[in-house]
C-alpha cells in the first residue's frame, strides 16, 4: 500500500479554513433578507416538529432543548417577547432535571429576552 502526501499539508489546509471570511447573517439586499427569513422559518418549523415529538414521547430534556432552540431563533429574529415564555418553560423543565449548566445558559438567554433586571 502506498500513501501519497498532497502538496498542501494538513496544517496549511486547516489554517486556510480558520482564516476564511466569516459567514455573515446580515443580508445585503432584499432578496438576501427574504432568503434569510425563509431559512429561519424553516429552522423554526423543524424545531417545532421536534418539540411536538419530544412532548408526545415525554422526553423532558429534548423538549427543553427544542424550546431553547426556538427561543434563540425568535430572539435572533427580533422577537424577544415571543422567546420569553419558551425560555421560562425550558428553565422550569431543566430545573426539575438538575441540568444546572443549561439552566444557567437559559437564565442568560432570558436576560437577553427581557432586558437586565433592576
Amino acid at each position: 500500500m502506498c500513501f501519497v502526501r498532497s502538496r498542501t499539508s494538513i496544517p496549511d489546509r486547516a489554517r486556510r479554513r480558520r482564516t476564511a471570511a466569516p459567514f455573515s447573517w446580515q443580508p445585503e439586499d432584499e432578496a438576501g433578507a427574504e432568503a434569510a427569513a425563509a431559512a429561519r422559518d424553516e429552522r423554526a418549523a423543524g424545531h417545532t416538529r421536534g418539540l411536538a415529538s419530544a412532548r408526545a414521547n415525554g422526553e423532558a430534556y429534548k423538549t427543553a432543548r427544542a424550546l431553547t432552540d426556538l427561543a434563540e431563533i425568535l430572539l435572533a429574529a427580533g422577537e424577544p417577547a415571543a422567546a420569553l415564555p419558551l425560555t421560562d418553560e425550558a428553565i422550569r423543565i431543566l430545573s426539575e432535571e438538575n441540568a444546572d449548566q443549561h439552566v444557567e445558559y437559559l437564565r442568560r438567554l432570558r436576560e437577553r429576552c427581557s432586558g437586565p433586571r433592576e
Side-chain angles (χ1 to χ4, degrees), residues 3 18 20 23-24 39 42 49 62 83 110 116-118:
F3 293 99
R18 280 194 305 265
F23 181 74
S24 173
E42 186 175 324
R49 286 189 301 272
K62 285 184 180 181
R110 188 182 195 291
R117 295 181 186 172
E118 296 185 20

Side-chain angles (χ1 to χ4, degrees), residues 64-108:
R65 286 296 308 177
L67 288 166
T68 301
D69 292 341
L70 284 169
E72 288 172 336
I73 291 168
L74 290 168
L75 189 60
E79 300 178 34
L84 190 57
L86 302 177
T87 305
D88 288 339
E89 184 179 354
I91 288 171
R92 182 188 55 75
I93 291 169
L94 290 174
S95 293
E96 293 170 3
E97 296 288 316
N98 296 320
D100 297 332
Q101 282 185 313
H102 196 126
V103 169
E104 184 57 37
Y105 172 78
L106 282 164
R107 287 191 177 123
R108 289 191 306 271

